[in-house]
Amino acid sequence: MSELVVELRNLINEVPNKIESLPYVNEKTNPSKWSKIEILGHLCDSGSINHKRFVEILISNEQVTLSGYNQVLWVQVHNYQESYSIKEILNLWRSINERIVKLLSNIKENQWNLSCKLEDQTIVTLEWLVSDYIQHMNHHLKQIFSD
């Protein structure tokens, strides 16, 4: 599973410079849509939630059932739009994902097959969950870099 770790490490190395060069990260193109800074804040929230999930799967003696979270309320309560600079959120994003890389770098090959249950009762592996986390991140990074 080193490919997933490498992919995440590459994102950590590439994304900050690209985002720092973007103009208008606080601009909202639609009042009901997140700004680029809010999308990045959402990725910080996602990183925090997923780090916790990865750890729980690794330390549990039983199959973990994952619960969702209210993404919109997390972004609202953190108030990424008004309370943070892009540099602060980038530093947070980088730190969370570096922590995830270190965690994933230390797991044993057989641990990638540990299973967990999603809210809809689908059973997936840790490998699937990490891959899904990275795909989710890439989806939102495309949103940030569009326009």
Side-chain angles (χ1 to χ4, degrees):
M1 287 320 98
S2 60
E3 316 88 49
L4 293 173
V5 174
V6 169
E7 185 176 355
L8 187 53
R9 191 174 286 134
N10 287 341
L11 287 170
I12 293 167
N13 291 332
E14 296 167 5
V15 166
N17 289 337
K18 289 181 181 179
I19 289 180
E20 284 179 334
S21 68
L22 291 174
Y24 315 113
V25 292
N26 289 77
E27 187 176 288
K28 284 183 165 275
T29 56
N30 181 324
S32 65
K33 301 279 185 182
W34 287 337
S35 65
K36 294 175 190 291
I37 199 168
E38 288 173 312
I39 294 170
L40 186 61
H42 164 66
L43 290 177
C44 293
D45 297 340
S46 174
S48 295
I49 293 290
N50 279 285
H51 176 264
K52 179 181 180 287
R53 289 173 174 171
F54 302 156
V55 170
E56 286 177 346
I57 292 165
L58 289 166
I59 66 172
S60 181
N61 293 324
E62 298 176 8
Q63 188 176 65
V64 174
T65 299
L66 304 178
S67 58
Y69 69 106
N70 189 321
Q71 303 169 36
V72 173
L73 289 179
W74 274 62
V75 169
Q76 286 176 358
V77 77
H78 283 111
N79 193 17
Y80 294 114
Q81 184 70 19
E82 304 293 332
S83 298
Y84 295 89
S85 70
I86 193 66
K87 190 169 186 93
E88 289 172 308
I89 298 176
L90 274 171
N91 287 337
L92 177 60
W93 178 85
R94 184 184 297 117
S95 295
I96 290 167
N97 285 290
E98 285 174 348
R99 190 170 186 203
I100 290 172
V101 163
K102 286 181 183 175
L103 174 72
L104 299 178
S105 296
N106 288 314
I107 67 172
K108 296 173 182 73
E109 193 62 35
N110 65 326
Q111 291 176 302
W112 288 101
N113 294 317
L114 291 171
S115 64
C116 62
K117 193 180 293 186
L118 303 178
E119 273 189 303
D120 68 1
Q121 304 305 305
T122 303
I123 296 174
V124 298
T125 63
L126 178 59
E127 176 185 3
W128 183 93
L129 194 64
V130 172
S131 179
D132 185 65
Y133 171 68
I134 294 170
Q135 287 174 18
H136 172 257
M137 184 184 304
N138 280 319
H139 165 76
H140 285 299
L141 289 172
K142 284 180 186 168
Q143 290 177 322
I144 290 172
F145 296 129
S146 69
D147 299 331

